[in-house]
Amino acid sequence: MVDLSVRIGGLTLANPVMPASGTFAEGLARVIPLDRLGAFVTKTIMREPRAGNPVPRVAEAGDGMLNSIGIPSKGVAPFLAETVPFYRGYGPPLVVSISAHSADEFAVLAREVTVEGVAAIEANISCPNIEADGRAFAMEPGTTAAVVERLRAATPLPLWAKLTPNTGDVAAVARAAEAAGADAVVVANTILAMSINVESFRPTLGNVMGGLSGPAVKPIILRMVYQCARAVGIPVIGCGGISTADDAVEYLLAGASAVQVGTASFIHPTALTSVIDGLEGFCARRGIDRVADLVGAVAEGPVAEGPAAEVAW
Amino acid sequence: MVDLSVRIGGLTLANPVMPASGTFAEGLARVIPLDRLGAFVTKTIMREPRAGNPVPRVAEAGDGMLNSIGIPSKGVAPFLAETVPFYRGYGPPLVVSISAHSADEFAVLAREVTVEGVAAIEANISCPNIEADGRAFAMEPGTTAAVVERLRAATPLPLWAKLTPNTGDVAAVARAAEAAGADAVVVANTILAMSINVESFRPTLGNVMGGLSGPAVKPIILRMVYQCARAVGIPVIGCGGISTADDAVEYLLAGASAVQVGTASFIHPTALTSVIDGLEGFCARRGIDRVADLVGAVAEGPVAEGPAAEVAW
Amino acid sequence: MSTTALADRGYQAEAAELELPVVSNLPVNGEYRHLVLEAGAPATLAEAGQFFHLLCPASGADRPFFRRPMSTYRADRAAGRIEFLYKVTGAGTRGLATLVPGDRLNVVGPLGTGFRLDPAWASIVVLGRGVGLATLAPLAELAASAGVRVTAILSARSPDLVMSADRFRAAGAEVFPVLDSDGSSDPGRVGKLVSGLVRLGRADAFFTCGSNRLLALMKRLGREHGIPGQVALEQQMACGLGMCFCCVRAFEVEGRHVSRRVCWDGPVFPLEEAVSW
Amino acid sequence: MSTTALADRGYQAEAAELELPVVSNLPVNGEYRHLVLEAGAPATLAEAGQFFHLLCPASGADRPFFRRPMSTYRADRAAGRIEFLYKVTGAGTRGLATLVPGDRLNVVGPLGTGFRLDPAWASIVVLGRGVGLATLAPLAELAASAGVRVTAILSARSPDLVMSADRFRAAGAEVFPVLDSDGSSDPGRVGKLVSGLVRLGRADAFFTCGSNRLLALMKRLGREHGIPGQVALEQQMACGLGMCFCCVRAFEVEGRHVSRRVCWDGPVFPLEEAVSW
Ligand SMILES: Cc1cc2nc3c(=O)[nH]c(=O)nc-3n(C[C@H](O)[C@H](O)[C@H](O)COP(=O)(O)OP(=O)(O)OC[C@H]3O[C@@H](n4cnc5c(N)ncnc54)[C@H](O)[C@@H]3O)c2cc1C
Ligand SMILES: Cc1cc2nc3c(=O)[nH]c(=O)nc-3n(C[C@H](O)[C@H](O)[C@H](O)COP(=O)(O)OP(=O)(O)OC[C@H]3O[C@@H](n4cnc5c(N)ncnc54)[C@H](O)[C@@H]3O)c2cc1C
Ligand SMILES: Cc1cc2nc3c(=O)[nH]c(=O)nc-3n(C[C@H](O)[C@H](O)[C@H](O)COP(=O)(O)O)c2cc1C
Ligand SMILES: Cc1cc2nc3c(=O)[nH]c(=O)nc-3n(C[C@H](O)[C@H](O)[C@H](O)COP(=O)(O)O)c2cc1C
Ligand code: FES
Ligand code: FES
């Protein structure tokens, strides 16, 4: 029996596999048993009801997808009245993703969702900060620290900061989040991207630009996880292009303590459970007792000499 | 007859298609007629001879590749004695890519390569700046401006600044390059990334991290080209994941005045000439007289109503 | 009631991700193909109007990334089959067209909310066009089994594209093919036909799919005559399970515009609330 | 002399990117397959030791991105064919193994710098193992046509893996299969065999490929006896055309380590300069 459990700050997860915010909802219960997941992470909500962006909101992009869903949100009240109770019917802890355009609004919302049935808060600080010229909070260590400090003061719940990959120095941002009191960093949100239909000359997204996700981003986000895991002491949760158990292992080796699966669930709604099954199988096959032993276990020294070097290449 | 010519600052190219630095060398003459290219761009050189990085230096990464070639360089003297004369035997203008770890060294090298047979200098400012804590010059507008100013003063040749995508605000960096006197910006170099072999637990690159290129990066770099083209008045040269004429059209529509083809030449050494042929075919089919008319022609208003809207979707 | 490949700690999936063998995949006319898959529950329990999300195979240079939604053309529990009628339009459907018997196709379903028959309705008018003919076809048997009389107006460019007519007739429906080729599909003429059915008391409800102009027409007639209705809508989909919010459309509810997910709240919606575009 | 699909304004390609029809692709033993392609110039002009860069097809979950380098096992201008002998090891070669007659394979070549026979050499010793047997095979005819006497020592784990023996014999070479299964492939014993040939005056030059241990052995013997040699080396390749610098290896030239591109400066290098690892 492989021990699949991992600890993320104060929270123990039965296994390290959870959905990524915005790619998961009640509907998945139609296809897989939700009780098997390591945790639930809900679509980001904001305080006020919002419409979201014009269609088309998604486009295929090679081995990945573009989205400009935005944050169509019903607001806090329906979320607390309907969504939280739905997940209370299941075992895994509920992580609520929140966002706001200012540190104040973030703090208010964090307080509002600090209710029974919510196990942790994931702060999506990748959205534009109205106080900083529309740049996302997580693009700079300074704005990251400011908003995480406010959130830390606003809620006793475990606090995860979800970082943006659209920055030059994600490790510095992760350090700022840690210093400001985050219990974990989620690395990362989508990469800003776009495509144009060469027949119509039109952008494929109604919103022109959107976020790239799926297998195409994996090597980039994996690098960021590796950099962050070396930069901070708090757990890093890897998120970007994970479709298979091997992808999850790669993230754990790079230093992630847990992983989130997003786009893959659109292609295979059974992705989450098959990643969990595959992780267990991988550990069993390799004689690894605890999945947590994989965390940060990437081997970096020079290649060992030996019989393998006999072949010509 | 389609007019394929484009102007990049003071330089007129017979067509907008050229190789990306580090993905092109004399060897391609074995497979395609080099005279057909819009320009030649050589592998980045540095002043001193350098060894480059340990193998493995490349790895497959889905629909793209990772490389940690580094800049193995013979130094300036052999470059001037052998490489420049080789390309003098051909018609297209020669663009020489240079790099350095300090603004001083950049300026000296720019002067050294300002010789007959060199039509422009591409400054690869994506390499670590020893004066700025190892961060690439092009990660910040300030360091970009400083090095481009020195380069501008050092050479009368057209000066292209090649930007890094590993930054939060590539448009600001492009503006800094323009203000400091660059004649064009090349957008962009590779995206820092990595992968790990889950059987051996080892990074797939000897250098652990490397640059991602190829189709996988196209939507990200296209977005950066779009942002830069709106931010600056000088031409933007698009570079990232271009494999086909349609890809080139997409970049031109987004605002690129010319394009560079890199990784695609490794997969299809005929990629450069087939992109040129395809561009001509595209323009002919669409009744576009001058390829330059495609530049920035992305259509952004709301979708027109009309008979096409009769279908249900 | 339903069993699934993912049966897990007593969990019963309402929809499943399944690799189903292809029984046949033949052209029905110059534009459409008919795909038959071998299936069990829950796939064969699909209701009229529900859809499946198909993982179309790569073919040639096409590498469809998303799944493609397809209405259940037929779900036959007894025969252990589900069927689709599809038009080859782009990368995904080109891939579907390459399937041959013995291949397997990965499907997720049944998904969405289908058509509903109100026990108070004695007769209904079904008006479809194009791909909508596939979506509406299961209404033939659903209505027949509920003892509801069906008049099916099937619109197409030309006679060979009038699909599902035999199926509606076999279920006892009266069928009016209307064509672009002879002008009978003109919305004005179709409107007169429907109004006539209303006057004859043969229209307790309207069902439509496949054309924006027909949606606008049916909405107007429904409003004028106070007749309820249902429309099956399309929108690009990623997840098909109400998770991603890419498939939203605007609806009009009590004068306000609201946004709904076609995959989850639909694809079948009240005619009154649908907005033609 | 050479013609190419890309003939352009009088340009003549030395190497070409070509879509070549598969003539056959059959297993030769439990590990290797033999691929035969229909080809014209410049492909059929490949010299012994030159290689092709193959765009291996995707198969199953494998989607090889890079091309894969393969030695020319045979280039037959008269028959209009090029041939490869390959071992199925990973994603690319698994894809190759799926090719059937009539398929087309995209190849680039011929590439690299091949073996050279010095007119002063009357007899040579060829020592190969594994995949190296494919690379060395064209030396059989090259040497024969130059009137050079060949002794071929072919090393393998077991008798069925001794490839190219018939081909060397047909070209007039004396062949010594040496095997792991009977211990005859032990470097010590092979060394004695080679030293014997040196004493008999049958070793004006050494040619080797396919094993690091044999490379080390031949280097040592060459140094001891003052015999020159050539070795064909492998390294992972992206471009195959000397452009990317990923395929470098360290060589020892006059006491200094220098880095060379296997695809461009090689794959055949002077035995003296090669570094075993
Ligand atoms: C609920 C539902 C049921 C459907 N039932 C049928 C059916 O029974 N028969 C049939 O032929 N077609 C049906 N369609 C339309 C079918 O989904 C599209 O024809 C198909 O997705 C086109 O994919 P493609 O790759 O061939 O085309 P492309 O144009 O290459 O597709 C590009 C993208 O746009 C999406 N897209 C394109 N057209 C449509 C469309 N009309 N609706 C939704 N997404 C679209 C694709 O899914 C894909 O994501 C239905 C659509 C929906 C939403
Ligand atoms: C000049 C040259 C000639 C060769 N000739 C032959 C031949 O005639 N017959 C034969 O069976 N093999 C030959 N090889 C080795 C052959 O290229 C590899 O077996 C093949 O690339 C493996 O690809 P794969 O996808 O099956 O394996 P994978 O291990 O999946 O390949 C992963 C990556 O590593 C590279 N790689 C793996 N092994 C080697 C290797 N030994 N050499 C170079 N790159 C490698 C692949 O090209 C690919 O980029 C030759 C190699 C070189 C450099
Ligand atoms: C359709 C869609 C909607 C998303 N919505 C959100 C969101 O509301 N909040 C958030 O933090 N991330 C959101 N994301 C980003 C994902 O949570 C995740 O960070 C990203 O997709 C990378 O993971 P993946 O490659 O596994 O999809 C969304 C992604 C997609 C594709
Ligand atoms: C093997 C390799 C070597 C490269 N070397 C250089 C270099 O020396 N200088 C440089 O500015 N860019 C270098 N690049 C980056 C390319 O010029 C180009 O910016 C990048 O690969 C994106 O384009 P592509 O997707 O078309 O390959 C290199 C890229 C590759 C793949
Ligand atoms: S397709 Fe994802 S919500 Fe409808
Ligand atoms: S493979 Fe590119 S230089 Fe050799």
Side-chain angles (χ1 to χ4, degrees):
Chain A
M1 266 301 288
V2 179
D3 177 1
L4 288 179
S5 70
V6 294
R7 285 185 64 83
I8 305 295
L11 213 59
T12 299
L13 312 183
N15 68 67
V17 183
M18 64 189 104
S21 175
T23 67
F24 170 72
E26 296 88 324
L28 200 60
R30 285 202 187 174
V31 189
I32 62 167
L34 297 190
D35 271 328
R36 297 218 36 216
L37 306 188
F40 302 135
V41 184
T42 48
K43 168 83 186 166
T44 301
I45 54 164
M46 299 187 80
R47 289 203 69 210
E48 307 300 333
R50 293 160 50 87
N53 291 321
V55 293
R57 288 179 169 186
V58 296
E60 299 182 311
D63 208 10
M65 67 176 280
L66 294 172
N67 91 78
S68 59
I69 303 289
I71 304 183
S73 171
K74 292 188 183 170
V76 192
F79 180 80
L80 296 178
E82 294 156 27
T83 311
V84 174
F86 173 87
Y87 291 107
R88 257 194 233 154
Y90 295 91
L94 176 64
V95 181
V96 171
S97 171
I98 61 172
S99 197
H101 287 305
S102 70
D104 270 351
E105 197 189 326
F106 245 124
V108 174
L109 183 52
R111 260 192 300 272
E112 286 173 337
V113 300
T114 300
V115 299
E116 220 201 297
V118 175
I121 291 176
E122 181 175 290
N124 175 3
I125 54 173
S126 316
C127 72
N129 169 8
I130 46 169
E131 284 150 20
D133 202 20
R135 293 162 60 88
F137 291 94
M139 284 173 69
E140 305 287 344
T143 41
T144 298
V147 70
V148 173
E149 265 163 29
R150 290 294 305 276
L151 284 164
R152 181 67 297 165
T155 178
L157 286 176
L159 182 62
W160 302 356
K162 180 155 176 190
L163 308 188
T164 176
N166 302 303
T167 178
D169 191 349
V170 72
V173 175
R175 273 192 301 265
E178 176 178 41
D183 297 293
V185 285
V186 182
V187 178
N189 217 305
T190 53
I191 304 181
L192 197 61
M194 71 181 282
S195 64
I196 299 172
N197 181 315
V198 296
E199 291 308 319
S200 68
F201 286 23
R202 307 193 66 81
T204 55
L205 294 178
N207 206 39
V208 184
M209 291 188 273
L212 184 68
S213 62
V217 307
K218 197 184 68 169
I220 302 170
I221 307 296
L222 185 83
R223 177 266 298 181
M224 293 188 176
V225 163
Y226 173 82
Q227 291 178 314
C228 289
R230 293 157 70 99
V232 298
I234 53 176
V236 175
I237 298 167
C239 175
I242 298 173
S243 317
T244 64
D246 277 359
D247 296 336
V249 170
E250 208 178 340
Y251 269 92
L252 297 177
L253 293 174
S257 296
V259 296
Q260 297 184 344
V261 175
T263 302
S265 290
F266 300 168
I267 310 306
H268 294 287
T270 54
L272 282 156
T273 44
S274 59
V275 168
I276 297 166
D277 293 340
L279 260 185
E280 184 162 9
F282 180 91
C283 291
R285 180 165 63 80
R286 298 289 297 256
I288 295 162
D289 294 335
R290 299 158 14 100
V291 80
D293 292 341
L294 290 171
V295 177
V298 57
E300 281 184 55
V303 181
E305 301 289 335
E310 150 74 5
V311 293
W313 130 260
Chain B
M1 265 300 289
V2 178
D3 176 3
L4 288 178
S5 71
V6 293
R7 284 186 65 83
I8 305 295
L11 213 59
T12 299
L13 311 183
N15 67 66
V17 183
M18 64 189 104
S21 174
T23 68
F24 170 73
E26 295 87 324
L28 200 59
R30 284 202 189 174
V31 189
I32 62 167
L34 297 190
D35 271 328
R36 296 222 33 218
L37 307 187
F40 302 136
V41 184
T42 48
K43 169 84 184 163
T44 300
I45 55 165
M46 299 187 79
R47 288 203 70 208
E48 306 300 331
R50 295 160 49 87
N53 291 322
V55 294
R57 289 180 170 187
V58 296
E60 298 182 312
D63 208 11
M65 67 175 281
L66 294 172
N67 91 78
S68 59
I69 303 289
I71 304 183
S73 171
K74 291 188 182 168
V76 193
F79 181 81
L80 295 177
E82 294 156 27
T83 311
V84 174
F86 173 87
Y87 291 107
R88 257 195 232 154
Y90 295 90
L94 175 64
V95 181
V96 171
S97 171
I98 62 171
S99 196
H101 288 305
S102 70
D104 271 351
E105 197 189 326
F106 246 124
V108 173
L109 183 51
R111 258 191 301 274
E112 286 172 337
V113 300
T114 300
V115 298
E116 219 200 297
V118 175
I121 291 177
E122 180 175 290
N124 175 2
I125 55 174
S126 316
C127 72
N129 170 7
I130 46 169
E131 284 151 20
D133 203 20
R135 294 163 59 89
F137 290 94
M139 284 174 68
E140 305 288 346
T143 40
T144 298
V147 70
V148 173
E149 264 162 31
R150 290 295 305 277
L151 283 164
R152 180 66 299 165
T155 179
L157 286 176
L159 181 62
W160 302 356
K162 180 156 178 189
L163 307 189
T164 177
N166 303 303
T167 178
D169 191 350
V170 71
V173 175
R175 272 192 301 267
E178 176 178 40
D183 297 293
V185 285
V186 181
V187 179
N189 218 304
T190 54
I191 305 181
L192 198 61
M194 71 182 280
S195 64
I196 299 172
N197 181 315
V198 296
E199 291 307 318
S200 66
F201 287 22
R202 307 192 67 82
T204 54
L205 294 178
N207 206 39
V208 184
M209 292 188 274
L212 184 68
S213 61
V217 307
K218 196 183 68 170
I220 302 170
I221 307 297
L222 186 82
R223 177 267 297 180
M224 294 189 175
V225 163
Y226 173 81
Q227 292 177 315
C228 289
R230 293 158 68 99
V232 298
I234 53 176
V236 175
I237 299 168
C239 175
I242 298 172
S243 315
T244 65
D246 277 359
D247 296 336
V249 171
E250 209 178 340
Y251 269 91
L252 297 178
L253 292 174
S257 296
V259 296
Q260 296 184 345
V261 174
T263 302
S265 290
F266 298 168
I267 311 307
H268 294 286
T270 53
L272 283 156
T273 44
S274 57
V275 168
I276 296 166
D277 293 340
L279 260 185
E280 184 162 8
F282 180 91
C283 291
R285 179 165 64 79
R286 298 289 298 254
I288 294 161
D289 293 336
R290 297 158 17 98
V291 80
D293 292 342
L294 290 171
V295 177
V298 58
E300 280 185 55
V303 181
E305 299 291 334
E310 151 74 5
V311 295
W313 132 259
Chain C
M1 196 170 127
S2 70
T3 65
T4 158
L6 242 157
D8 198 281
R9 302 174 197 178
Y11 166 79
Q12 300 258 303
E14 291 167 54
E17 180 177 343
L18 302 161
E19 299 267 347
L20 301 182
V22 173
V23 175
S24 63
N25 184 27
L26 297 170
V28 294
N29 53 41
E31 294 185 358
Y32 286 82
R33 298 179 78 98
H34 178 208
L35 174 66
V36 181
L37 304 177
E38 196 181 312
T44 50
L45 305 177
E47 294 165 13
Q50 282 194 307
F51 69 97
F52 285 82
H53 220 16
L54 311 185
L55 195 64
C56 305
S59 65
D62 295 325
R63 293 217 318 244
F65 182 76
F66 293 139
R67 288 176 180 267
R68 302 298 195 254
M70 285 295 159
S71 300
T72 319
Y73 179 60
R74 194 193 305 263
D76 189 333
R77 217 178 150 181
R81 292 187 171 181
I82 57 172
E83 307 180 15
F84 302 93
L85 201 61
Y86 65 96
K87 182 170 174 178
V88 178
T89 49
T93 47
R94 274 197 295 271
L96 280 187
T98 65
L99 291 171
V100 295
D103 285 350
R104 281 173 176 266
L105 178 67
N106 183 305
V107 314
V108 173
L111 299 174
T113 308
F115 296 106
R116 291 275 169 267
L117 288 183
D118 189 314
W121 297 338
S123 46
I124 61 173
V125 172
V126 170
L127 172 56
R129 184 175 165 92
V131 159
L133 299 174
T135 308
L136 294 167
L139 271 175
E141 294 87 18
L142 180 68
S145 72
V148 174
R149 178 175 183 185
V150 175
T151 311
I153 307 172
L154 309 180
S155 171
R157 283 210 314 281
S158 54
D160 56 309
L161 297 176
V162 179
M163 298 169 296
S164 308
D166 294 348
R167 184 147 162 212
F168 274 104
R169 282 196 197 98
E174 183 169 7
V175 174
F176 294 93
V178 296
L179 303 172
D180 298 359
S181 53
D182 64 10
S184 55
S185 67
D186 175 79
R189 289 174 64 177
V190 172
K192 288 205 185 96
L193 182 56
V194 174
S195 298
L197 292 165
V198 171
R199 277 193 301 274
L200 291 170
R202 279 172 48 184
D204 295 331
F206 293 151
F207 290 81
T208 190
C209 180
S211 156
N212 186 41
R213 279 160 66 194
L214 295 183
L215 164 58
L217 172 72
M218 295 305 263
K219 245 184 99 81
R220 182 172 56 74
L221 292 176
R223 203 169 38 228
E224 283 173 16
H225 300 288
I227 294 173
Q230 292 168 25
V231 57
L233 293 173
E234 296 183 4
Q235 182 61 292
Q236 188 185 21
M237 294 183 182
C239 73
L241 281 162
M243 308 196 291
C244 73
F245 286 83
C246 81
C247 64
V248 293
R249 278 186 172 280
F251 293 84
E252 220 176 87
V253 182
E254 292 156 16
R256 289 182 314 110
H257 268 84
V258 302
S259 156
R260 287 182 177 158
R261 289 161 292 179
V262 171
C263 75
W264 185 254
D265 304 304
V268 176
F269 293 92
L271 190 54
E272 308 79 72
E273 297 179 2
V275 174
S276 60
W277 60 101
Chain D
M1 198 171 126
S2 69
T3 66
T4 159
L6 242 155
D8 198 281
R9 302 175 197 179
Y11 166 79
Q12 301 259 303
E14 290 167 55
E17 180 176 344
L18 302 161
E19 299 267 345
L20 301 182
V22 173
V23 175
S24 63
N25 184 27
L26 297 170
V28 293
N29 54 41
E31 295 185 358
Y32 286 82
R33 298 180 78 98
H34 178 209
L35 173 66
V36 181
L37 304 177
E38 197 181 311
T44 50
L45 306 177
E47 294 166 12
Q50 282 195 306
F51 68 96
F52 285 82
H53 219 17
L54 311 186
L55 194 64
C56 304
S59 65
D62 294 325
R63 293 215 317 244
F65 182 76
F66 293 140
R67 288 175 179 266
R68 302 299 196 252
M70 284 297 158
S71 299
T72 317
Y73 178 60
R74 193 193 306 262
D76 189 331
R77 216 178 151 180
R81 293 185 171 182
I82 57 173
E83 306 180 16
F84 304 94
L85 200 63
Y86 65 95
K87 183 171 176 179
V88 177
T89 49
T93 46
R94 275 196 296 271
L96 280 187
T98 66
L99 291 171
V100 295
D103 285 351
R104 283 174 173 266
L105 178 67
N106 183 305
V107 314
V108 173
L111 299 173
T113 307
F115 295 106
R116 292 272 168 270
L117 289 184
D118 188 313
W121 297 338
S123 47
I124 61 174
V125 172
V126 170
L127 172 57
R129 184 175 166 93
V131 159
L133 300 175
T135 308
L136 295 167
L139 271 175
E141 294 87 17
L142 180 69
S145 72
V148 174
R149 178 175 182 184
V150 175
T151 311
I153 307 171
L154 309 180
S155 171
R157 284 209 314 282
S158 54
D160 55 311
L161 297 175
V162 179
M163 298 170 295
S164 310
D166 293 348
R167 183 146 162 213
F168 274 105
R169 283 195 195 98
E174 184 168 7
V175 174
F176 295 94
V178 296
L179 301 172
D180 297 1
S181 53
D182 64 10
S184 55
S185 67
D186 175 81
R189 290 174 64 178
V190 172
K192 289 209 184 92
L193 181 56
V194 175
S195 299
L197 292 166
V198 171
R199 277 191 301 275
L200 290 171
R202 278 173 46 186
D204 294 330
F206 292 153
F207 290 80
T208 188
C209 180
S211 156
N212 186 41
R213 280 160 66 196
L214 296 183
L215 164 59
L217 172 72
M218 294 306 264
K219 248 183 96 82
R220 183 173 56 75
L221 291 176
R223 202 167 42 228
E224 283 173 18
H225 299 288
I227 293 174
Q230 293 167 23
V231 58
L233 293 173
E234 295 181 6
Q235 182 62 290
Q236 189 186 20
M237 294 183 182
C239 73
L241 281 162
M243 309 195 290
C244 73
F245 286 82
C246 82
C247 64
V248 294
R249 278 185 172 280
F251 293 84
E252 220 175 271
V253 182
E254 292 155 16
R256 288 181 315 111
H257 268 85
V258 301
S259 159
R260 287 182 178 157
R261 289 162 290 179
V262 172
C263 75
W264 184 253
D265 304 305
V268 176
F269 293 92
L271 189 54
E272 308 79 74
E273 298 179 1
V275 176
S276 60
W277 60 100

